[in-house]
Amino acid sequence: MPGKLETGTPLITHDGAPVEVRRSARRRRTVAAFWENGTAVVAIPAHFSRAQEADWVHRMLEKLRTQGEKRSSGAGRRPSSDAALAAHAAQLSARYFGGRSAPTSVRWVSNQNSRWGSATPSDGSIRLSDKLRPMPQWVIDYVLLHELAHLLVAGHNAAFWKLLEAYPETERAKAFLEGVSFATSRGLPAGEAATPGDAD
């Protein structure tokens, strides 16, 4: 059940994602926070008071926010190999789509000059343009999720975009890629990093 403040206002993260507080009789002292289908889940012991719950939810949401900023800034290891990219895609699918999108292969390619990525639902394959490599991780994650969503919904209809609502950086990443495309189409320096195109 989604968490609520004392006023009855639904809990949300700093970037607007829903928050669910789960009380567990099996938990004695430990508290955990993780993402599940676009929802921030905070798991606490069932015996916690409301004050303890509020304190720990605040702490754990801050922890998730910090972890997200580290990922967005490119901290940590980036998926440079095809195997690492495939593993990362599986993690994104589990986090945002409940693991429903299960590609048979995910790889970097150098022959996509008009698209950031592409997916073939019939064989479950996903390809990402290597022009994405120097871009922020949150942009790469958006393109990966875009292609993972295409394995579930072929077109760009309402059901497709509904899937991508779970990712909090969708609109920001779309704007980023549109900016790069605009710059490169006019011969501006961004063309050194990428070529025009869309995730498709």
Side-chain angles (χ1 to χ4, degrees):
M1 171 177 284
K4 290 190 176 181
L5 300 172
E6 291 300 323
T7 60
T9 304
L11 283 173
I12 58 173
T13 64
H14 75 288
D15 54 6
V19 176
E20 178 181 341
V21 179
R22 290 182 187 168
R23 288 178 172 261
S24 171
R26 290 194 300 254
R27 287 184 179 274
R28 298 300 177 191
R29 292 184 299 274
T30 61
V31 178
F34 52 91
W35 288 97
E36 184 178 276
N37 298 331
T39 296
V41 178
V42 180
I44 63 173
H47 64 80
F48 270 16
S49 68
R50 289 297 176 188
Q52 286 175 304
E53 174 184 324
D55 178 50
W56 276 103
V57 167
H58 174 76
R59 286 196 217 178
M60 300 310 281
L61 291 181
E62 181 63 18
K63 182 178 179 181
L64 285 178
R65 183 186 70 79
T66 302
Q67 290 173 343
E69 286 180 352
K70 286 180 179 177
R71 279 194 299 274
S72 294
S73 65
R77 300 186 65 183
R78 294 163 69 88
S80 57
S81 69
D82 288 350
L85 190 64
H88 188 59
Q91 291 172 351
L92 291 174
S93 176
R95 178 173 172 181
Y96 294 104
F97 302 151
R100 290 182 295 128
S101 182
T104 56
S105 69
V106 185
R107 58 195 176 90
W108 293 105
V109 295
S110 59
N111 62 350
Q112 290 197 152
N113 293 320
S114 62
R115 293 180 177 181
W116 298 120
S118 60
T120 306
S122 61
D123 65 11
S125 64
I126 289 175
R127 296 156 300 282
L128 258 60
S129 169
D130 61 7
K131 305 290 193 302
L132 288 164
R133 287 180 184 268
M135 295 188 188
Q137 188 59 48
W138 50 270
V139 175
I140 297 172
D141 286 358
Y142 162 70
V143 178
L144 259 179
L145 283 165
H146 188 113
E147 303 313 331
L148 286 165
H150 272 314
L151 297 186
L152 301 173
V153 179
H156 290 108
N157 57 20
F160 173 84
W161 292 112
K162 183 70 175 174
L163 287 172
L164 287 174
E165 285 180 3
Y167 182 54
E169 303 290 355
T170 288
E171 293 306 316
R172 182 183 176 205
K174 285 170 64 179
F176 181 97
L177 292 171
E178 286 169 5
V180 172
S181 293
F182 178 86
T184 56
S185 69
R186 284 152 181 78
L188 299 176
E192 296 169 8
T195 54
D198 296 307
D200 198 28

